[in-house]
Amino acid sequence: MNRFLSKTVLLLITGVFWNGALQAQITKAIENPINLSVKVDRYDAIFTWDGFNDSFEDNTFDAWAEVIKGTGTPGDPPTGAYWQTFDYGEEAPDGKYDAVCPWGYNVDSWLITPSIPITSGTKLTFLWSKSYVWSVSPNNNDDLFVKVSTDNGATWTSIWQEEDYGKFDNWTWIETTLDLSAYAGQNCKIAFNVVGDDNADTHIDNVSISNSSKRTIRNRVISDAARVAANARTNGGYKYTFMNNRAGVRNLTGYNVFLNGTQKATNISKKTFTFEDLAVGDYTAGVQRVYSSGVSEIVNKDFTIVKVIDVTGVSLSESDVSIRADSTFQLTATVKPDNATNKNVSWTSNADSVATVDANGLVKGISGGSAQIVVMTEDGNFTDTCEVTVVIPVASVELNKTEIKLGVDSIFTLETTITPDTATNQTVSWTSSNESAATVDNNGLVTGIAAGSAEIIVTTADGNFTDTCTVTVEKYSIAVTGVTLSETSKELQVNESFTLTATVAPDGATNKNISWKSDNESVAGVDENGLVTGIAEGVARIIVTTEDGNLTDTCTVTVSNKSTGIENINSSVFKLYPNPVKEGFTIETSERGILEIFNLSGNKLSALPITSDKKFFDVSHLQSGTYFAKINGKIVKFVKK
């Protein structure tokens, strides 16, 4: 690639033919400073001019406010997948340094200017170079964006990307100019943002933000010096002639700064100057450009220093507020005293995943939870806080039945499903349209009172959403249609127990009474609650029978007698009663020793001393089942209910 020169100021292109080749040089005209701005900070005034310019020839990003590297990982060679200055040598469009974001993966790197005052006619001009093949087609692996922020970087708007240019040659330097007049009157940050994955290098150079009156071409390929000359001839706004290339070149060397006509700084290189400790009053700041031969006119900017009234505090319009997800609420900050000079505030949320807040105090609910919204004064860093609770609203409620039939005095429990299931407030209320026919309690339990019908209505506390079930109460009882056990077969050890559960159908049956029996009680027994206990080896059928209709279901129980290592002996040496046991038992014995308690697996659970002929032992901590009590080798079996 040929070395070339490009500037964004008014240029005088001069040259001469040597041996048939065009020799060119650039002579700068004297221009006045532009884009003047004064920011008053209490009794100081920060004076800036000439917008923003960086050609990266100092091999730093000192002119920029922020470089965000991002989390990208580099390709090969591993030079870092983020913005960095780079010695591009003869390939650079001006000097030898530019800025590059190299090849990498999961790249999201930002290069951000300071906040710059934008006026009508302010333009952003920059050079860029990248691979069409890896950025647009056939591999759309990355994008170079230019973005603008008007809220100090809180939010960004994209105003350009390389695909806007159209087809371009790989690694060709292109000059692009963007008009920023739409942001006139605002302080803006400008960002160059590379986003990509397995992307090729992206280069930029000669970034300028100013109000230059020079006519510029929005997009211009400048890699070829001959094409630059052709552009100058065909697009106007340029003057060119041919002269001896040894003619002198006028260069900008610095700036002179004035306050109320008095010079305060001479030939400084920076484009900013701070006037400190000024008295209250009106002032005029001035600046002129200093060239190697000559100076520009002095360009002035008026400003005023006022008496500073310090901030003493800040308060919010609300201390706590509840909002729904996706809804907003406006907080208002009152800075004290009312006549404070600097009433600027900033806003933050300690949980952006729950609630966010913008630069104007507008809070938006994101997801269920709590967040603290904090306002802070720029003067004095005073704060106030609002506790924000974000609720997930109910969208609907649905009952598990749309209609049921009940007998008099029969019951049925309705169940609700609230959508979404993450809704914050899932409280509901219940009502009956005809309590003389059917009633409903706070848990959805419906009771048939008398023959007739009623609408059972559930209502959500949040949103008053409803659903209805029609209940018909019949004068005569609702007959049982079946019964089902929780188990159809079960294997047990001798003295092991488990509980069967019987479900009577339909749910609204009037008489749900049942009875239990074993067809082989020598093998397994069952009590009135369905508790089955293995007695001896063998097979038994446990049968449940409904009182209404004598309907049955059966569970087949197989009992085995696996050895526990403890002989089952009924001892006459000591007495244990009562047996079965609920809370505890009494031991009567003339022997002294240690009472040991074992489970069916032979594991010793406790050991207690026998100190008298009659002693009570608390075994309420034991689970229901069969155990063995052992004293001096003598054993008694007992059952814990």
Side-chain angles (χ1 to χ4, degrees), residues 419-599:
T419 303
D421 57 6
T422 56
T424 304
N425 184 358
Q426 301 206 10
T427 303
V428 297
S429 60
W430 299 86
T431 56
S432 170
S433 66
N434 184 7
E435 292 191 344
S436 63
T439 61
V440 62
D441 69 8
N442 292 333
N443 299 310
L445 180 67
V446 181
T447 303
I449 303 300
S453 64
E455 300 292 326
I456 303 300
I457 304 166
V458 64
T459 304
T460 63
D462 178 10
N464 292 322
F465 295 96
T466 63
D467 197 16
T468 302
C469 175
T470 301
V471 177
T472 302
V473 182
E474 298 183 352
K475 182 177 181 180
Y476 301 101
S477 60
I478 304 299
V480 172
T481 59
V483 63
T484 304
L485 287 175
S486 55
E487 304 275 358
T488 59
S489 63
K490 185 75 173 180
E491 293 184 357
L492 288 179
Q493 298 294 321
V494 172
N495 297 315
E496 186 180 2
S497 300
F498 80 103
T499 299
L500 282 169
T501 301
T503 302
V504 176
D507 291 330
T510 303
N511 182 359
K512 290 189 174 184
N513 293 336
I514 56 175
S515 60
W516 300 86
K517 74 173 184 178
S518 169
D519 72 347
N520 191 350
E521 292 186 348
S522 63
V523 172
V526 61
D527 68 8
E528 67 275 12
N529 298 312
L531 178 65
V532 181
T533 302
I535 305 299
E537 285 186 308
V539 177
R541 291 195 311 151
I542 305 301
I543 304 168
V544 64
T545 303
T546 64
E547 187 176 285
D548 178 7
N550 292 320
L551 301 172
T552 63
D553 196 16
T554 302
C555 175
T556 300
V557 176
T558 303
V559 180
S560 60
N561 188 17
K562 181 180 178 181
S563 173
T564 64
I566 297 178
E567 185 182 0
N568 187 9
I569 301 175
N570 289 322
S571 176
S572 60
V573 175
F574 66 90
K575 295 181 180 179
L576 183 153
Y577 60 88
N579 191 1
V581 177
K582 287 187 176 180
E583 300 297 329
F585 56 75
T586 299
I587 294 291
E588 288 189 10
T589 179
S590 59
E591 295 192 11
R592 299 292 181 268
I594 301 297
L595 171 67
E596 298 174 306
I597 297 177
F598 297 84
N599 61 17

Side-chain angles (χ1 to χ4, degrees), residues 260-397:
N260 290 346
T262 301
Q263 189 165 342
K264 296 294 185 180
T266 301
N267 204 19
I268 62 173
S269 60
K270 292 183 177 180
K271 301 171 188 177
T272 182
F273 185 84
T274 300
F275 303 110
E276 298 178 340
D277 298 327
L278 299 178
V280 172
D282 296 326
Y283 294 87
T284 298
V287 62
Q288 70 179 169
R289 290 180 177 177
V290 179
Y291 291 88
S292 54
S293 58
V295 295
S296 73
E297 297 176 1
I298 298 174
V299 182
N300 295 315
K301 179 76 172 180
D302 295 332
F303 66 95
T304 301
I305 298 293
V306 299
K307 182 179 180 181
V308 175
I309 306 298
D310 291 327
V311 171
T312 60
V314 64
S315 60
L316 287 174
S317 52
E318 302 287 343
S319 59
D320 60 84
V321 66
S322 179
I323 62 175
R324 293 172 178 259
D326 295 326
S327 66
T328 59
F329 182 83
Q330 182 65 56
L331 283 173
T332 302
T334 302
V335 177
K336 302 173 184 177
D338 292 339
N339 61 342
T341 302
N342 182 359
K343 290 189 173 184
N344 292 338
V345 296
S346 60
W347 300 84
T348 56
S349 168
N350 73 337
D352 284 334
S353 61
V354 175
T356 60
V357 61
D358 69 9
N360 300 309
L362 184 66
V363 180
K364 182 178 181 180
I366 304 299
S367 63
S370 298
Q372 285 188 342
I373 304 299
V374 181
V375 65
M376 177 180 288
T377 63
E378 187 176 283
D379 178 10
N381 293 332
F382 294 97
T383 62
D384 195 16
T385 302
C386 176
E387 298 286 341
V388 175
T389 301
V390 179
V391 299
I392 304 299
V394 171
S396 66
V397 62

Side-chain angles (χ1 to χ4, degrees), residues 53-75:
N53 294 279
D54 194 7
S55 61
F56 308 107
E57 290 309 307
D58 59 355
N59 197 24
T60 74
F61 286 135
D62 289 351
W64 300 77
E66 188 175 8
V67 180
I68 300 175
K69 291 184 176 181
T71 58
T73 55

